[in-house]
Amino acid sequence: MAILLRFSKLTAAFVLVASAAVWNIHPWTTGGASPFAAVNDAEGLAITVADGTVTATGAILRLENETDREWEFGQEYWIEKKEGGEWKEIKSLRARAFDALSYLLAPHSTREEVCSFSDGYGRLTAGEYRLVKELLRERSGGWESRYVAAEFAVE
């Protein structure tokens, strides 16, 4: 009976903790060619890196919405490096988990987000990079998805 009671408390604690957070698991990247054929093709949407904020382990991102529609985005992002004139995925150190939260980007607004990429990618070496994020908006019959990319250099 004592063993069953202990197991029940443990199970209840796990269910309570598991239901408190929902994560998106970002699989390890391949290190191959960029899967993003089209970025920055949505008029009025942009992402940039705030001046003077880039380090080998993070940056401050500035998301801009100059449209009349509300867009949403999550914590998930991808980093790519320019090699031989082409964008290549950087292999993640491990599978990364992101809280499945949705942040709103109101019409005609700007929002800054701190992005630490050291957990997933470690310290970036010198070179040209871009950080890619997905923006979404609800439309009748489903969702519209657009990718924006901010280019930056690590020295």
Side-chain angles (χ1 to χ4, degrees), residues 65-71 104-110:
N65 178 6
E66 294 302 322
T67 73
D68 294 331
R69 306 289 294 225
E70 182 175 76
W71 288 80
L104 298 178
L105 189 56
H108 305 283
S109 70
T110 300

Side-chain angles (χ1 to χ4, degrees), residues 12 14 29 34-35 42 45 57 61 105 148:
F14 175 75
T29 53
S34 172
L45 296 176
T57 59
L61 305 176
L105 189 56
V148 291

Side-chain angles (χ1 to χ4, degrees), residues 71-82:
W71 288 80
E72 298 179 30
F73 65 95
Q75 293 179 340
E76 189 170 22
Y77 63 90
W78 299 266
I79 296 181
E80 300 178 331
K81 186 173 186 179
K82 193 176 252 185

Side-chain angles (χ1 to χ4, degrees), residues 11 15 19 22 24 37 49 58 67-68 76 78 86 96 99 104 106 131 135 137 139 146 148 150:
T11 302
V15 170
S19 66
V22 177
N24 287 336
V49 174
T67 73
D68 294 331
E76 189 170 22
W78 299 266
E86 294 183 18
R96 298 179 294 144
D99 286 331
L104 298 178
L131 185 142
L135 296 175
R137 75 176 176 125
R139 297 187 66 155
R146 297 289 190 190
V148 291

Side-chain angles (χ1 to χ4, degrees), residues 9 22 30 34-35 40-41 44-45 49 58-59 73 77 85 96 113 127 129 132 134 142:
K9 286 181 181 176
V22 177
T30 64
S34 172
N40 299 333
D41 65 348
L45 296 176
V49 174
F73 65 95
Y77 63 90
R96 298 179 294 144
E113 295 288 323
Y129 294 88
V132 181
E134 181 180 30

